[in-house]
Each structure stands twice: as structure tokens, then as C-alpha cells.
Amino acid sequence: MTHASARPEADYNRLTPAAQERFDQVMDLADNTTDNGEYTALMLAAAALAGLHIPYGAEIRKCACSCYCPAIFDPADPDAHVIEETGGYNLGRVQCPTCADRHRETA
Ligand SMILES: [Zn+2]
Ligand SMILES: [Zn+2]
């Protein structure tokens, strides 16, 4: 481990195509489930696929910025920016802290 950042971040583009496919699938399921326990489990699974270790109950998001940023990050980060609340789904659209800083979007 040479990466010393305290932020649990991963780069989607560095995942293998197979891992990307599974990651998308799991995030889709997480977006659509109405079961809290299942949602928590899916978040853990998605994080594991991205190579991240998050505590039970934590969440991850893929950056929803229009720059096609590949960051997978913790939406609870105070620097992350919510573009759009969940709107009936679980995930909503959230920008990673770097994008929130560089090109903040509004819904
Ligand atoms: Zn981003
Ligand atoms: Zn961006």
C-alpha cells in the first residue's frame, strides 16, 4: 500500500471489465432494493468488487459528474456534493469531492 489517503476511493477504470460489469450490476440492485439489510449488503459487495474496505453500514457511490469521472468514493464525505436526491431510488447522483471542488453541478 503506497496510497496514504484517508479517503476510501477507487478508480472504476482500473477494474477489470468483469469486475466493472459485476460492480454495475450490484450498484443497480442496490439502487432498486427496498430492503435496508439487502442494501447494506450490496454496498459491501460493491465496495469489495472495487477493492475497497468499508465498515458495515457505510456506502459507496460512483461519481455522477458529467466529466465521466471514474471515482468510486464515500458519499458521506463532507466534501462530496449531492447533485440530485434519491428521487425514489436509493443512490441519487453524487459528485466525488474532487469534482465537487473542480466542477460542481446542480440538478
Ligand atoms: Zn468525480
Ligand atoms: Zn467531474
Side-chain angles (χ1 to χ4, degrees), residues 34-88:
T34 53
D35 185 293
N36 258 333
E38 189 181 322
Y39 179 75
T40 300
L42 288 165
M43 281 290 119
L44 286 173
L49 285 168
L52 295 174
H53 296 281
I54 60 171
Y56 184 83
E59 300 179 27
I60 58 163
R61 292 290 184 281
K62 185 165 173 294
C63 184
C65 186
S66 55
C67 73
Y68 299 106
C69 169
I72 296 166
F73 64 100
D74 177 2
D77 190 307
D79 293 330
H81 171 65
V82 176
I83 303 171
E84 201 168 26
E85 292 294 348
T86 59

Side-chain angles (χ1 to χ4, degrees), residues 4-39:
S5 171
R7 280 178 181 150
E9 272 192 23
D11 183 340
Y12 181 82
N13 291 338
R14 296 185 69 153
L15 305 181
T16 64
Q20 288 181 352
E21 198 176 308
R22 274 183 226 134
F23 180 84
D24 291 342
Q25 201 177 20
V26 169
M27 289 300 269
D28 241 32
L29 290 169
D31 202 19
N32 289 302
T33 183
T34 53
D35 185 293
N36 258 333
E38 189 181 322
Y39 179 75

